[in-house]
């Protein structure tokens, strides 16, 4: 490979490492060209699978800032799955193909710039696809909103019931309306007492006349 071609290849690999959401490094020793084509088809639009040269890839991972994560894995026949779509779907494709074709060995990789082990890649494959998770999340949010709407709709009814209960409680505390005048009966006796007070001077008039008569006789 000419020098210019190597530079271009390194630049392309560097960009793929920087732009991809994840990359999985594999060993494909013993796989046929037909099997590699089948693996690419199984990944679909979620990832691209490329056979790489270790020497050039070491330069690329260094330029991409991933030397510590990937450089130790670059031994033997290597190929990388660059993930551009759903990481879970790509991990499922690699896991399922490796189960059917044990010659494909998953060495590890990076996800959002962080190193991931083969075991972690398998655990990713066991997760539900992104679309399914989003659908479940949307369903849960819809159920929560429906519950909140039902609560708000019930509030006016509950307030009316509370007001009626309060009104009934106040009426019970005041007692029957017919008993109120009986409590005011003592006030009705006031005119009679006043009448007696007005009549008191009339009874004292004869006493005064007698005193005056006695004074005249003297």
């Amino acid at each position: 490979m000419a020098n210019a071609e190597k530079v271009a290849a390194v630049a392309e690999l560097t960009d793929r490492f920087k732009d991809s959401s994840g990359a999985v490094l594999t060993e494909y020793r013993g796989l046929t060209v037909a099997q590699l084509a089948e693996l690419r088809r199984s990944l679909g639009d979620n990832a691209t699978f490329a056979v790489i040269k270790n020497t050039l890839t070491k330069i690329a991972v260094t330029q991409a800032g991933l030397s510590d994560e990937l450089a130790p894995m670059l031994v033997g026949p290597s190929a990388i799955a660059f993930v551009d779509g759903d990481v879970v779907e790509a991990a499922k494709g690699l896991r399922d193909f490796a189960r059917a074709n044990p010659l494909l060995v998953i060495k590890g990789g990076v996800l959002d710039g962080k190193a991931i082990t083969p075991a972690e890649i398998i655990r990713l494959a066991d997760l539900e696809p992104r679309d399914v998770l989003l659908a479940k999340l949307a369903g849960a949010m819809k159920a929560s909103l429906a519950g909140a709407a039902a609560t708000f709709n019930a509030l006016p009814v509950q307030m009316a019931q509370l007001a009626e209960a309060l009104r009934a409680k106040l009426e019970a505390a005041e007692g029957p309306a017919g008993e109120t005048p009986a409590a005011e009966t003592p006030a009705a006796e006031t005119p009679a007492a006043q009448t007696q007070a007005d009549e008191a001077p009339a009874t004292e008039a004869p006493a005064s006349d007698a005193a005056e008569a006695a004074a005249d006789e003297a």
Side-chain angles (χ1 to χ4, degrees):
M1 182 181 289
N3 212 26
E5 292 178 346
K6 291 180 180 180
V7 172
V10 169
E12 182 181 356
L13 282 171
T14 302
D15 290 341
R16 294 303 306 274
F17 280 116
K18 289 181 178 180
D19 297 338
S20 298
S21 56
V24 178
L25 187 63
T26 66
E27 182 178 320
Y28 67 95
R29 191 192 308 270
L31 291 176
T32 65
V33 173
Q35 288 172 322
L36 291 175
E38 180 186 348
L39 173 56
R40 290 186 176 95
R41 286 193 299 270
S42 68
L43 294 176
D45 296 332
N46 295 302
T48 57
F49 191 78
V51 175
I52 47 99
K53 292 184 177 295
N54 291 336
T55 52
L56 299 181
T57 306
K58 286 180 180 180
I59 299 173
V61 297
T62 299
Q63 294 180 356
L66 299 171
S67 179
D68 293 341
E69 290 82 3
L70 295 178
M73 304 177 195
L74 291 170
V75 291
S78 301
I80 295 180
F82 289 103
V83 183
D84 299 314
D86 188 348
V87 176
V88 173
E89 283 297 318
K92 285 182 186 295
L94 289 169
R95 178 201 62 187
D96 294 344
F97 185 87
R99 285 175 177 175
N101 302 273
L103 292 177
L104 179 72
V105 178
I106 298 175
K107 297 181 179 181
V110 288
L111 179 60
D112 293 330
K114 305 297 182 182
I116 52 175
T117 65
E120 289 171 333
I121 295 171
I122 299 302
R123 284 199 293 271
L124 273 176
D126 292 335
L127 296 176
E128 292 180 317
R130 180 174 180 272
D131 292 343
V132 175
L133 292 175
L134 288 176
K136 287 187 175 182
L137 177 60
M141 292 177 64
K142 184 177 180 180
S144 298
L145 290 174
T151 301
F152 289 136
N153 289 335
L155 283 177
V157 177
Q158 294 174 351
M159 290 298 293
Q161 291 174 344
L162 179 61
E164 177 61 22
L166 182 59
R167 185 190 63 78
K169 184 175 181 180
L170 289 174
E171 287 186 353
E174 291 175 357
E179 295 181 0
T180 304
E184 297 176 354
T185 301
E189 296 177 356
T190 303
Q194 183 65 38
T195 301
Q196 292 177 359
D198 293 341
E199 293 176 353
T203 56
E204 294 176 358
S208 299
D209 293 343
E212 292 176 359
D216 292 339
E217 291 179 357

